[in-house]
Amino acid sequence: MPRIDDGLRSMLAQLLPRATLDSVNPLPVSGLTGESWRLQGADVDLLAREASGQKIQLGVDRRREFRLLRALNGSGLAPRPRGITAGWLLVEWLPGAPLNTQGWQQALTTGTLAGLLARLHQQRRSGYPLNLQARFARYWQTSDPARRTPAWLRLHRRFLRRRPPTALRQALLHMDVHQGNVLHQQAGALTLIDWEYAGDGDVALELAALFGGNALLATDRERLLAEYVRLMPGLASDRLRRQINAWLPWVNYLMLLWYETRWHQTGNRDFLALATPLRHYFDLSR
């Protein structure tokens, strides 16, 4: 198997018969955080997700991800994990395709995305609480020192001193919901992939990340909120809307730091372009 390291090869040898292992063909799968491998062969279709140094800098913990996915077995919300080593997480490759633009808009307008999130937020919590301020501190240290202006340092210190919004309702959150991470399967169901940032937190934080990270139109936000609240007894629309607005600056700062860290890791100027509107949002353009 070319370009697959010994740790992954050893794990596959434990899981697969020799004839199946010999037939496996590795194919790179690209994403914003780097490459994974699709491993196809006779009666096998798996995804290998690397635990690289860059991913560790981004707060990715493949063992945490493995345990979280294992707890979701049978839910239909996530791929089934198959194995874990020091360097790799192995999960089943799910049939289907990420939502295209039309599918994403349909999921927003028909309420199926709201239904997916409501199902997720009614699962048992993972036991891994999200700590945005700890993530802020990590990302700051891995950002480009040449870009750390006095204004940005002042902003960073304000976020570290500030108390986060008090949670309306704690739940298991995915924290990276966008059309590329929502899989439309052959039976029509929606499933979430790429769980590397998941953990427990306020449901309003998830919705703020969804709204801010995808620049949803006001009409799409309101339609999704109405369906979500209908499926989540005990949540009031007005209070949830205020809580989402309270989380939006935190989400925006998280995204800014993530893009800045990825720029420093990769030298890819696309990440600077993505960071620019957020620097304007926080008045860091000078």
Side-chain angles (χ1 to χ4, degrees), residues 132 164-168 202-206 208-209 242-252:
L132 290 193
T166 302
L168 282 181
D202 186 9
V203 296
L205 172 59
E206 178 98 275
R242 288 194 297 271
Q243 186 78 348
I244 291 168
N245 289 334
W247 276 115
L248 278 172
W250 294 78
V251 167
N252 285 338

Side-chain angles (χ1 to χ4, degrees), residues 8-247:
L8 180 54
R9 191 192 306 267
S10 175
M11 178 168 58
L12 289 170
Q14 295 174 37
L15 294 172
L16 305 176
R18 179 69 193 184
T20 303
L21 177 60
D22 290 343
S23 75
V24 168
N25 178 40
L27 300 169
V29 179
S30 296
L32 282 178
T33 52
E35 282 193 346
S36 299
W37 294 93
R38 183 178 182 179
L39 307 174
Q40 287 183 293
D43 302 318
V44 64
D45 202 353
L46 301 168
L47 178 70
R49 294 168 63 77
E50 189 180 7
S52 67
Q54 288 190 355
K55 286 188 170 62
I56 291 169
Q57 286 182 340
L58 292 167
V60 173
D61 182 333
R62 295 300 187 203
R63 293 193 179 276
R64 178 188 66 207
E65 190 177 349
F66 175 81
R67 295 184 189 108
L68 190 151
L69 291 174
R70 188 170 56 185
L72 287 170
N73 271 347
S75 69
L77 291 166
R80 177 182 168 220
R82 293 293 305 276
I84 184 76
T85 69
W88 295 91
L89 167 66
L90 198 64
V91 302
E92 290 186 348
W93 181 272
L94 291 177
L99 295 182
N100 57 23
T101 301
Q102 181 180 359
W104 175 251
Q105 190 59 42
Q106 185 176 18
L108 289 171
T109 56
T110 61
T112 54
L113 183 60
L116 180 67
L117 291 174
R119 284 176 56 212
L120 169 61
H121 294 165
Q122 293 176 74
Q123 301 296 309
R124 180 178 297 179
R125 280 183 274 173
S126 68
Y128 297 105
L130 295 170
N131 185 332
L132 290 193
Q133 286 163 313
R135 195 166 293 182
F136 291 168
R138 179 188 300 116
Y139 287 1
W140 173 266
Q141 292 299 323
T142 52
S143 66
D144 185 352
R147 291 174 59 80
R148 296 179 200 155
T149 64
W152 189 9
L153 178 59
R154 288 192 296 271
L155 175 70
H156 183 72
R157 286 173 172 168
R158 284 201 300 273
F159 270 106
L160 293 186
R161 290 193 300 264
R162 188 182 303 175
R163 180 173 294 181
T166 302
L168 282 181
R169 182 176 297 181
Q170 293 277 353
L172 172 61
L173 312 181
H174 181 276
M175 286 303 291
D176 195 18
V177 179
H178 57 78
Q179 67 183 70
N181 280 346
V182 182
L183 201 69
H184 185 267
Q185 297 192 277
Q186 293 175 350
L190 298 183
T191 303
L192 289 163
I193 58 174
D194 290 0
W195 288 78
E196 57 194 13
Y197 297 115
D200 301 332
D202 186 9
V203 296
L205 172 59
E206 178 98 275
L207 294 171
L210 172 66
F211 292 176
N214 295 279
L216 295 192
L217 298 175
T219 52
D220 290 330
R221 295 186 185 198
E222 289 304 312
R223 191 178 290 113
L224 185 143
L225 273 181
E227 180 63 11
Y228 178 82
V229 168
R230 186 183 73 80
L231 296 168
M232 295 285 286
L235 285 179
S237 296
D238 288 345
R239 190 176 180 194
L240 180 57
R241 192 179 293 107
R242 288 194 297 271
Q243 186 78 348
I244 291 168
N245 289 334
W247 276 115

